[in-house]
Amino acid sequence: MRARGSARVLVADACILTAAALCVLLFVPPLALLVGPGTVWVLHDRRLDRTAVIGGLIGIVVGIVAVGACLVVAALVLDLIGPVGGSEFTVPATALAVVAMAFLVLLVALDVAAVRDLMPARRVRTRLDIARLVSTAVIAVFVSVMSLLQATRPNGEFGDAGVFALGAGAVGAVTMMVMSAVHARADRRGGVGTEAGA
């Protein structure tokens, strides 16, 4: 069995794969929130048992609440700041650009690791690495199509789809954090119980 990834890598992969899942399942977002973290869990050779499923469901709820709370706080802060440079969109656009840049850096870092792992001399986690590269391709196509639609139909709100994908990625990351924590706690309790029984 391949080595299990660290908690940070699990969270990063969950962010990227959940965002990609939303790009494909745009009209059924709840399914994307299940598919992204679940796929990452399996690709990292974790057992998808009852504890993982319960942790994942709790994580989705926590993730939605956390991301929603961040958006509410961001909206309140933007109201306090007010328009900058004569436009009410300057600060939100800047904040969105910063988040998108962080997401892009994460995406590139995972893709570099994937390409390195797929070298003939390594071949460490083939399925996971392919999933990372496919996710990047899906996100790139999605962003290109939505940008083209927004450019040709300025009155549409196609650009919002990218924001939803970023939000889904954030929910996926939080879901994985909770899922990992719940599973680790269950493993520790199981270990204590085994030792006591021995």
Side-chain angles (χ1 to χ4, degrees), residues 5-167:
S6 70
R8 282 183 297 180
V9 176
L10 270 169
V11 170
D13 281 326
C15 178
I16 300 305
L17 266 70
T18 306
L22 187 83
C23 294
V24 175
L25 304 167
L26 185 60
F27 298 107
V28 277
L31 185 57
L33 299 180
L34 287 168
V35 169
T39 302
V40 170
W41 190 261
V42 172
L43 289 175
H44 275 270
D45 293 323
R46 305 285 175 121
R47 218 173 51 245
L48 195 59
D49 53 16
R50 187 177 65 177
T51 304
V53 171
I54 292 171
L57 293 175
I58 294 170
I60 290 172
V61 173
V62 172
I64 290 171
V65 170
V67 171
C70 287
L71 292 175
V72 169
V73 170
L76 292 173
V77 170
L78 292 175
D79 281 345
L80 288 173
I81 294 172
V84 174
S87 173
E88 62 182 310
F89 298 109
T90 302
V91 176
T94 302
L96 183 59
V98 169
V99 172
M101 188 59 66
F103 182 84
L104 182 61
V105 168
L106 183 63
L107 195 64
V108 170
L110 290 175
D111 284 347
V112 167
V115 170
R116 186 186 63 230
D117 288 344
L118 287 171
M119 294 293 181
R122 291 177 61 97
R123 294 282 175 179
V124 182
R125 301 167 294 196
T126 306
R127 290 184 307 157
L128 174 61
D129 294 323
I130 290 172
R132 288 171 174 172
L133 296 174
V134 169
S135 294
T136 299
V138 166
I139 292 168
V141 169
F142 179 79
V143 169
S144 299
V145 170
M146 290 301 149
S147 298
L148 182 61
L149 288 172
Q150 187 65 54
T152 54
R153 302 176 188 177
N155 293 331
E157 296 182 351
F158 300 103
D160 292 348
V163 177
F164 292 138
L166 286 173

